[in-house]
Amino acid sequence: MSRMEQAMARVANPMRQVFVETVSAAMDTHPRLVVVLADITADAFTPASERHPDRVVNVGIREQCMIGVAGGLALTGLRPVVHSYAPFLIERPFEQIKLDLGHQDVGAVLVGIGGPYDDPVWGRTHQAPGDVALLDTLPGWTVHVPGHPAEVEPLLRSALTGDGRVYLRLSTQTNTSPQPALFGFRTLKHGRRGVVLAVGPVLERVLHATRHVDVTVLYAATVRPFDEAALRSAVLAADHADVALVEPYLAGTSAHLVNAALGHIPHRIRSIGVRRDLELHAYGRPADHDAVHGLDQASITAEIHTMFTQSTS
Amino acid sequence: MVRTKELDFPELAGLFQRMTGDEKHTWAAASTLHVLWVLYDRVLNVSPERVDDPDRDRFLLSKGHGPMAFYAVLVAKGFLEPEVLDTWTEFGSPLGQHPDRVLVPGVEISSGSLGHGLALGVGIALGLRAMGRARPRVVVLVGDGELDEGSNHEAIALAGRLGLGQLTVAVIDNGSATHGWPGGIAERFAVEGWQTATVDGRDDEALHRAFITEHAGRPLAVVAAIRQETT
């Protein structure tokens, strides 16, 4: 990437910029932090690398090694922060995530960019709508899906000072304004007809779709652990146990946890997210892909109206 | 847990037998036996009292398959009670067909799937460097067949370029790689900047000399050649 492209990427990717600045500053006061990179975003960490030459490790284009090295660093008691595009951070080295972190019983902070399809001009290879579903096959992961650049810093600071396994999923798709409470589910609107759970960047579309619909809207910037208590309370307070789940990754990724939360309550779920039955061989803009997957404003509005204003249960 | 008297090399046979029930001498054919013994008896700065000491050496059994020799050596050196060997692979036993660091004190990594130990070892060496702990060694044992896994080659190149002098790899070469390594295994490491030595994998003196070779500023690869007919 040229210098100009780097500069443009910074402007176009404010969440990534917050990530770089937050971690770089935290390294000055947290001696346990070590950044592990595989070329992606390496230039942006040059100032931190100059101040802490042994605590910024760029392994080159070696993503399996990147996660293995992070596991080894964690075994010595350090706190690795590992970063790349989501497909190269989660999917390519998935066995390393399973074994070199989870099975060793050590933690790390994985910070992914690009998912599910932030910049579709790069094609399918740079998309990872299955990242959260994949991590769901492993125990013990905290998953943050911030919906605004201002939500990144507090989530990241919490992850940096902990010991657990954390995935921070950054996107260029953001809401206009940030939310103040980022752990657990936050109730943004109360209603009688059912509950809509919006995860991260889809919140604004959900709020718009529910303007004239009598539903409770919950917001999750942290989706694992899944706040079952908050969901159950919201459902019990409504007249109907109807839940719409709107997630910016594979549709229904959290449906099993909705079912677990409502295990003793007859309920309905409608899962909105990236379609599982389709691989788009298409470029364009994120909005083009949202429209195909039903994550655009018109589709979400139509789904919400169908579920909460037309049907009976 | 810790006994005062250590066991000696010939007593490993009896320890093996407690796991495998083997009445013959196939234990001596275990390809890792001499490397493990030389490391734990003469090279590694480890002890059962210091399993959490940040300045201990680290031994990583990357080739986790066939861990009986490893368990036997851990018993001989007091990390485990001999009685635990009788429970080998049973539900509830700390000892299985692949070692689990959560279950066994002194086991640095859980292994089994091939090709993970080297990158973990690189990470440990980098962590020690970042903390200014220049003394501990990190020794990773891999097999020649295991080197088929591409993940090793990511780690071999990186360790060489970063000049990780605290890292040593012991390669057990018993010719098990399906497509072989033309030119020899040591060459794979040498071209990446490692210091290398190839020795008879059952010659304790030669192994010892290889492991204590000076290799400042470069990682060390010791290829332990195992000729099956000499067993």
Side-chain angles (χ1 to χ4, degrees), chain A residues 20 31 105 126 169 239 249 265:
Chain A
V20 171
D105 195 25
H126 285 52
R169 186 184 201 269
D239 294 339
Y249 36 78
I265 306 168

Side-chain angles (χ1 to χ4, degrees), chain A residues 60-136:
Chain A
I61 308 169
R62 297 181 173 90
E63 286 88 6
Q64 295 182 78
C65 195
M66 173 177 70
I67 302 292
V69 163
L73 288 164
L75 283 167
T76 66
L78 297 174
R79 183 64 165 160
V81 180
V82 193
H83 165 72
S84 189
Y85 273 87
F88 318 130
L89 178 70
I90 303 295
E91 294 175 323
R92 189 182 189 108
F94 185 68
E95 196 197 43
Q96 275 75 14
I97 291 175
K98 171 189 166 193
L99 297 180
D100 300 352
L101 297 174
H103 188 43
Q104 307 302 329
D105 195 25
V106 294
V109 183
L110 309 188
V111 180
I113 51 172
Y117 38 68
D118 276 359
D119 202 353
V121 301
W122 304 110
R124 169 71 169 171
T125 60
H126 285 52
Q127 299 169 10
D131 52 354
V132 179
L134 257 180
L135 286 179
D136 245 358

